[in-house]
Amino acid sequence: MGVKFTHSFNSELGHDVIIPIVGKKVDTNLVKDYFGFIEHDSIELSPKNPIFLTDAKSGKMVILLGLGEESDKGKRTNYIRSVIHQSKAEFPKAITIIAKHLDPKTLSNVVMGCFLGIRQYGIFKTNGDKGKNNPPDITILIDNEQIATYNEAVSVVNAKILAMELVDLPSNIKTPYYLADKAEEVSNKFGIKTSIIRGDNLVAENLHALHEVGKGSSNPPAFITMEYIPENYNDDYKTIVLVGKGITFDTGGISIKPSANLANMKSDMGGAAAVMGVLQLVADQKVQIRVIGIIPAAENAVDGSAYKPSDVIQSYSGKTIEVIDTDAEGRVVLADGLAYGIKNYKPDYVIDLATLTGSCIVALGYLTCGMFTKSEKMSQVLRSASEKCDERVWPMPMWDEYAQDMQSDIADIKNLSAKPVAGSITAAKFLEAFTDQHPEWVHLDIAGVSFADTEFAKSRIATGYGVSLVFESIKLLA
């Protein structure tokens, strides 16, 4: 991180402080606890305009940071992130965030905003360490009863940063084998059981669909399985399988994409990154449910051995797939991931995450992901989890009539509908064919929310979307 984060219960502060405040009105007594005096009894705050108070004698500064009203609660992480991000080069050696007065949700927002705000992006610049040479020490001042909330927020934001760093990496570094090695690194650190099937060994394990997508690249595909087993695990514990699309770069294959925005296709493994982050998080927080993370990882490239439109390929489930478009590859690798996870782990619940379709962005824009499920229970769980973590979901239809568009004359199913409408829905219906009609399966199309334009970088960057949402869902299911 390049910064020292700690928490403290000690109010004896000799350096500058930030006081986050919910609402427009400032509690002047709260400010006086840390500043000593305040000239006005009535101060109004706006999230976009922090108030800076400086003690003429000591030189100590207090920043009053507005976090908005109730309607702003989903933006509070970004409010604190913004002030840290914009000011980190100007911060003194030490600064304290006052948080004793905050409710648990707002405290979590503040913790995550601090960690995200100090994050460095220019890791490949020749002066990339310049901002890390003299970083500030940030202390978050809390009470004893807030420590559990603080610790969980730290775990969540570290998992989100793991996911973000993976998505932001360039594809010449972030190959399928790199993801496999990273999964092993995380597993060794957090006590997760991991297995990797690499390259041509996929064929021997009947993971034909993943192999077909990845065989056109000089970087071979990999099938990654991460298994978190809680202490005292027994048959009474529930099991959830998470499957994340892991396309480390997507050229479109033989059905090649246009060059505009092609550089953004390094982000086509946002689902895989979220799954890896969730596995780290549940292990760190010791959640009482078995969690299986499956990442079918491949680079969809073009050479003489690449799979082609009109090919009929095998899959782990035994069903054959007619390839209409090689750029509809994400659903093809997920087909193997879903079928493998459901057959081998007999899960109670299944969630897949994928940057799957541009159609979902057309339907919902960049503010929410599309949620596809026939399970009313899982729909309610995901929506409740969304309220807890500010990662939005929106239910989409899954009527069986849409499945007719995926019927093939030559194979069991085709990978793309011939109709230029309802693309995200027909993609979900394709995936459904490989779930063995699992009653508690949810597909999350995160194409519009995992990689975004923000104020924190000049180009699109990862958001870490899915880590918090799935973690909160798992807690509810456990």
Side-chain angles (χ1 to χ4, degrees):
M1 290 288 298
V3 63
K4 178 185 177 184
F5 274 101
T6 58
H7 68 274
S8 174
F9 308 118
N10 181 13
S11 298
E12 297 295 325
L13 303 172
H15 46 73
D16 295 355
V17 301
I18 296 176
I19 306 179
I21 297 173
V22 175
K24 292 182 179 180
K25 298 294 183 181
V26 175
D27 181 349
T28 54
N29 290 326
L30 172 66
V31 177
K32 289 175 182 177
D33 286 343
Y34 303 99
F35 189 61
F37 72 94
I38 190 166
E39 294 180 356
H40 305 288
D41 290 332
S42 178
I43 299 177
E44 289 200 0
L45 280 179
S46 165
K48 296 182 180 179
N49 297 297
I51 294 175
F52 295 82
L53 306 174
T54 304
D55 186 328
K57 293 183 178 180
S58 68
K60 186 172 72 171
M61 180 173 64
V62 172
I63 303 171
L64 307 182
L65 175 61
L67 296 180
E69 304 287 348
E70 178 68 15
S71 60
D72 294 301
K73 63 180 182 179
K75 304 174 186 176
R76 286 174 183 162
T77 295
N78 272 353
Y79 288 155
I80 188 74
R81 180 182 180 183
S82 183
V83 74
I84 297 292
H85 173 78
Q86 292 173 13
S87 307
K88 60 188 173 186
E90 304 169 6
F91 272 165
K93 181 61 180 175
I95 195 162
T96 294
I97 314 292
I98 307 301
K100 287 186 174 184
H101 60 293
L102 299 177
D103 62 85
K105 181 66 167 63
T106 307
L107 173 60
S108 295
N109 294 147
V110 167
V111 172
M112 290 193 282
C114 287
F115 274 70
L116 293 171
I118 210 70
R119 183 184 167 219
Q120 300 288 335
Y121 294 96
I123 59 174
F124 295 107
K125 293 185 177 184
T126 53
N127 65 344
D129 286 336
K130 183 177 179 181
K132 301 179 183 179
N133 292 337
N134 190 32
D137 293 342
I138 295 183
T139 299
I140 299 178
L141 188 67
I142 59 174
D143 283 331
N144 280 288
E145 60 267 23
Q146 294 174 299
I147 189 65
T149 299
Y150 172 88
N151 286 338
E152 181 174 300
V154 171
S155 292
V156 172
V157 74
N158 281 331
K160 287 178 79 76
I161 288 173
L162 167 66
M164 293 164 73
E165 290 179 343
L166 286 172
V167 172
D168 285 336
L169 279 175
S171 58
N172 61 318
I173 293 173
K174 181 183 56 190
T175 64
Y177 280 16
Y178 180 94
L179 285 186
D181 292 343
K182 177 59 72 170
E184 290 183 327
E185 176 187 320
V186 170
S187 297
N188 290 336
K189 182 176 179 179
F190 289 91
I192 301 167
K193 178 182 177 183
T194 294
S195 64
I196 314 291
I197 304 171
R198 301 174 187 259
D200 291 340
N201 291 330
L202 295 167
V203 175
E205 300 296 330
N206 295 319
L207 294 163
H208 299 285
L210 173 60
H211 184 262
E212 287 287 334
V213 170
K215 71 179 184 179
S217 173
S218 59
N219 296 307
F223 191 83
I224 305 161
T225 304
M226 304 173 71
E227 182 178 2
Y228 162 71
I229 304 173
E231 293 182 10
N232 305 316
Y233 174 76
N234 58 56
D235 291 341
D236 293 332
Y237 279 66
K238 300 293 186 181
T239 295
I240 183 168
V241 162
L242 310 176
V243 184
K245 175 185 171 184
I247 300 298
T248 57
F249 193 81
D250 183 17
T251 67
I254 299 297
S255 308
I256 196 163
K257 291 178 180 290
S259 60
N261 300 316
L262 190 58
N264 292 335
M265 287 301 101
K266 69 177 185 178
S267 70
D268 211 13
M269 37 60 69
V275 167
M276 199 179 299
V278 171
L279 264 293
Q280 172 179 301
L281 183 50
V282 295
D284 193 30
Q285 288 293 296
K286 297 179 172 55
V287 178
Q288 295 303 296
I289 184 172
R290 185 172 72 145
V291 184
I292 314 299
I294 293 176
I295 299 171
E299 186 176 85
N300 188 23
V302 186
D303 79 352
S305 62
Y307 81 135
K308 307 177 297 298
S310 82
D311 285 359
V312 173
I313 63 176
Q314 301 290 325
S315 71
Y316 185 85
S317 71
K319 292 181 179 179
T320 55
I321 302 169
E322 180 187 8
V323 178
I324 302 299
D325 190 323
T326 62
D327 194 22
E329 86 299 327
R331 65 198 69 182
V332 175
V333 303
L334 287 172
D336 271 1
L338 286 166
Y340 184 96
I342 291 168
K343 178 179 179 180
N344 290 285
Y345 293 100
K346 306 295 189 295
D348 299 282
Y349 315 106
V350 182
I351 300 175
D352 77 75
L353 303 94
T355 50
L356 206 63
T357 69
S359 296
C360 197
I361 302 175
V362 172
L364 299 174
Y366 297 95
L367 297 179
T368 182
C369 87
M371 176 177 63
F372 302 79
T373 184
K374 290 180 177 178
S375 167
E376 184 61 30
K377 174 182 178 179
M378 292 299 282
S379 178
Q380 289 298 325
V381 165
L382 267 292
R383 293 172 79 173
S384 296
S386 176
E387 288 293 318
K388 292 177 179 292
C389 70
D390 308 322
E391 291 184 350
R392 292 171 170 167
V393 297
W394 192 257
M396 299 286 279
M398 281 291 283
W399 302 318
D400 289 336
E401 287 85 347
Y402 287 110
Q404 298 171 10
D405 294 339
M406 306 306 289
Q407 292 177 354
S408 167
D409 292 327
I410 194 171
D412 292 318
I413 195 169
K414 59 185 179 184
N415 79 328
L416 189 70
S417 167
K419 296 179 181 178
V421 294
S424 62
I425 303 171
T426 53
K429 297 305 288 186
F430 174 91
L431 295 178
E432 184 182 39
F434 299 90
T435 63
D436 196 25
Q437 299 181 332
H438 196 287
E440 307 293 353
W441 162 69
V442 181
H443 161 57
L444 299 177
D445 191 331
I446 62 173
V449 289
S450 70
F451 199 61
D453 293 312
T454 75
E455 65 181 280
F456 308 108
K458 297 179 179 68
S459 57
R460 287 188 181 184
I461 55 172
T463 65
Y465 182 96
V467 174
S468 294
L469 176 66
V470 174
F471 176 62
E472 292 294 341
S473 300
I474 287 173
K475 289 198 295 181
L476 291 171
L477 292 169

